[in-house]
Amino acid sequence: MRTGRIGRPPADVVAQGERRTEILRTAMELFTERGYAAISLGQIAEVVGVTKSALYNHVRSKESLYTEVVCDLLDRIAAGVAAASEGNVPFRHALRLITERAVLHTPVTADMDELMRDVQTHLSPEQQEQVLQAHGRFLGSMADLMRRGIEQGALRPGQAPELLGYTYRRLVSGFQGRNRQQAGFEASDALVDFLVSQFLSGAGRA
């Protein structure tokens, strides 16, 4: 008979879940820092502190782990976009918050475009489709945000929310992580305000 606390998973299940979370966190850090090709499962296992054979208790392959990492990253971003615009938050405030997170809190080693190129190069068609669905959810969250901006009167009516969301994503990605570092710009509130103002000067009401 189990004697664990009612409603709490057994200790071994909790430990397994914590170890898997650590594997995903480590994999995300290493993949975003060095890219898919430069990282092996052995390196991930070494950082986590387990053997490579033990790692296979949690992941099927490097490809499946990379798929999960990129999907999780995209879903986290989508959730952040949705959370920033909940309630009656003014559009400009929500846009600035999202831009601040993207520019000031993205690791300097990260490059979303490179991650997506690795998806196309190294993953199976089925795995690529999983990532594309996650990317679609991310773009959908951006389109919802832009739709809210139109409804609030912050953006000009008659514009396609999907196109606005994609345009914003491309604008900000040029100043994220490795792209910003290579261009020589500092991560600052002034840069965040500049990007928000530039986007609204083109898409906002005159």
Side-chain angles (χ1 to χ4, degrees), residues 182-198:
Q182 291 175 344
F185 295 108
E186 292 187 9
S188 64
D189 288 332
L191 177 58
V192 172
D193 290 333
F194 173 78
L195 293 174
V196 171
S197 296
Q198 285 300 302

Side-chain angles (χ1 to χ4, degrees), residues 80-81 84 93-103 142 145 168:
V81 172
H93 177 78
L95 190 68
R96 194 195 186 285
L97 178 60
I98 294 166
T99 308
E100 179 181 305
R101 290 174 179 171
V103 174
M142 289 304 310
L145 174 66
Y168 168 83

Side-chain angles (χ1 to χ4, degrees), residues 4-196:
R5 185 186 311 166
I6 295 175
R8 178 175 173 79
D12 57 339
V13 174
V14 173
Q16 288 290 315
E18 291 174 349
R19 178 54 54 82
R20 179 166 175 75
T21 298
E22 176 66 10
I23 291 170
L24 290 174
R25 184 190 65 78
T26 299
M28 181 176 293
E29 290 177 355
L30 293 177
F31 282 139
T32 55
E33 179 180 350
R34 305 179 196 174
Y36 177 90
I39 297 300
S40 67
L41 288 183
Q43 290 171 303
I44 294 172
E46 181 178 358
V47 174
V48 173
V50 299
T51 64
K52 186 175 179 180
S53 60
L55 192 71
Y56 279 110
N57 293 326
H58 302 274
V59 299
R60 294 192 305 274
S61 64
K62 178 181 172 180
E63 292 81 5
S64 65
L65 178 59
Y66 191 76
T67 301
E68 187 171 358
V69 162
V70 177
C71 287
D72 182 64
L73 176 61
L74 289 167
D75 283 337
R76 285 172 183 266
I77 297 172
V81 172
S85 58
E86 285 180 347
N88 296 317
V89 176
F91 174 77
R92 187 183 186 108
H93 177 78
L95 190 68
R96 194 195 186 285
L97 178 60
I98 294 166
T99 308
E100 179 181 305
R101 290 174 179 171
V103 174
L104 302 186
H105 302 297
T106 298
V108 295
T109 55
D111 185 338
M112 181 60 73
D113 290 334
E114 183 176 329
L115 290 176
M116 296 303 291
R117 283 193 294 271
D118 282 340
V119 167
Q120 296 297 320
T121 302
H122 300 288
L123 301 188
S124 70
E126 293 77 16
Q127 291 165 335
Q128 290 178 29
E129 179 59 28
Q130 291 180 50
V131 175
L132 288 177
Q133 289 179 8
H135 191 256
R137 291 191 292 272
F138 159 59
L139 291 179
S141 70
M142 289 304 310
D144 289 342
L145 174 66
M146 299 303 164
R147 195 172 290 110
R148 179 184 290 263
I150 293 172
E151 292 171 353
Q152 289 185 2
L155 300 177
R156 293 194 308 275
Q159 302 180 94
E162 295 79 10
L163 182 58
L164 288 172
Y166 184 77
T167 300
Y168 168 83
R169 182 254 196 246
R170 297 308 305 175
L171 171 66
V172 173
S173 68
F175 296 88
Q176 280 185 294
R178 195 175 304 165
N179 290 335
R180 178 186 54 74
Q181 186 183 50
Q182 291 175 344
F185 295 108
E186 292 187 9
S188 64
D189 288 332
L191 177 58
V192 172
D193 290 333
F194 173 78
L195 293 174
V196 171

